[in-house]
Amino acid sequence: EPEVTQTPSHQVTQMGQEVILRCVPISNHLYFYWYRQILGQKVEFLVSFYNNEISEKSEIFDDQFSVERPDGSNFTLKIRSTKLEDSAMYFCASSGVGGGRGELFFGEGSRLTVL
Amino acid sequence: DQQVKQNSPSLSVQEGRISILNCDYTNSMFDYFLWYKKYPAEGPTFLISISSIKDKNEDGRFTVFLNKSAKHLSLHIVPSQPGDSAVYFCAASGTGANNLFFGTGTRLTVIP
């Protein structure tokens, strides 16, 4: 069964460092998402991406964050200068249908710890 | 700003009994609702969805009920099995939106 894969599974970084989280969405999906979950809190939407551009983003997704689809398979989330409060589990998701109507397939997550 | 609320952080149910997980929403523009299940160290997995044109959707042991006037939905699992023990997230989206709003989750424990 096709799945969304994420790397790394866990990354520890120093505050102020740049971090890149990588995702390989399901191959025939067109809509890509990043969500995050701070420990003990809800899953929060960060950004959605379609047709090589951001289609929607939340207030969390400020100038420190960027997304890219550098090739036909990878979808990356970059945090330029990490803060302590960026520590969270980051989930990539993809969907074959947009508009929040389709089932989102989530990866297993990348845990980011900022020290 | 919590547009999707799951007021019960945890629920324990005996195996074979019914589990009822509840979810409330505040945004009247939401018209599509989903339930996701999450095991530790894994991403959320889609369970079942319902459009606002329906008030019930059933898939095997899982049934979702939607009460639009009350802005409330519930997930029924019957009979509950130990493998159902997980965190369940309610999610919602509105027409034209391209993202899901998640609740805080309810941890279900099914006791053998």
Side-chain angles (χ1 to χ4, degrees), chain B residues 34-92:
Chain B
L34 308 91
W35 284 94
Y36 280 80
K37 179 167 75 171
K38 185 180 179 304
Y39 293 115
E42 293 185 13
T45 305
F46 171 77
L47 257 183
I48 191 169
S49 63
I50 188 167
S51 164
S52 61
I53 62 173
K54 293 185 173 183
D55 54 19
K56 176 182 173 181
N57 189 27
E58 193 171 348
D59 183 4
R61 297 186 296 115
F62 302 92
T63 304
V64 56
F65 294 92
L66 175 62
N67 182 335
K68 291 185 289 293
S69 60
K71 294 192 177 69
H72 177 84
L73 64 155
S74 61
L75 174 69
H76 293 210
I77 306 172
V78 57
S80 302
Q81 299 172 354
D84 296 329
S85 296
V87 177
Y88 288 78
F89 290 95
C90 170

Side-chain angles (χ1 to χ4, degrees), chain A residues 54-74:
Chain A
I54 291 173
S55 50
E56 201 159 342
K57 61 182 180 179
S58 70
E59 292 176 352
I60 302 168
F61 195 87
D62 61 21
D63 292 343
Q64 293 298 315
F65 291 88
S66 63
V67 289
E68 200 175 38
R69 188 153 162 82
D71 52 44
S73 59
N74 290 285

Side-chain angles (χ1 to χ4, degrees), chain B residues 1-12:
Chain B
D1 176 23
Q2 196 128 343
Q3 300 191 56
V4 180
K5 302 177 186 178
Q6 293 176 258
N7 292 319
S8 297
S10 63
L11 173 69
S12 290

Side-chain angles (χ1 to χ4, degrees), chain A residues 61-105:
Chain A
F61 195 87
D62 61 21
D63 292 343
Q64 293 298 315
F65 291 88
S66 63
V67 289
E68 200 175 38
R69 188 153 162 82
D71 52 44
S73 59
N74 290 285
F75 180 51
T76 61
L77 173 69
K78 182 192 289 186
I79 309 174
R80 287 191 186 82
S81 178
T82 50
K83 303 186 284 286
L84 294 175
E85 54 265 37
D86 293 329
S87 295
M89 182 72 90
Y90 288 81
F91 293 104
C92 173
S94 69
S95 172
V97 177
R101 291 298 180 271
E103 174 187 344
L104 264 62
F105 290 80

Side-chain angles (χ1 to χ4, degrees), chain A residues 31 33 35 37 42-43 45 48 55-56 91 98-101 103-104 106-108, chain B residues 1 31-32 36 38 42-44 46 89 93-95 97-100 102-104:
Chain A
Y31 300 85
Y33 308 83
Y35 285 79
Q37 185 183 24
K42 64 180 178 180
V43 176
F45 170 74
S48 59
S55 50
E56 201 159 342
F91 293 104
R101 291 298 180 271
E103 174 187 344
L104 264 62
F106 284 84
E108 294 191 345
Chain B
D1 176 23
D31 61 357
Y32 192 72
Y36 280 80
K38 185 180 179 304
E42 293 185 13
F46 171 77
F89 290 95
S93 70
T95 304
N98 205 30
N99 60 312
L100 296 178
F102 281 83
T104 50

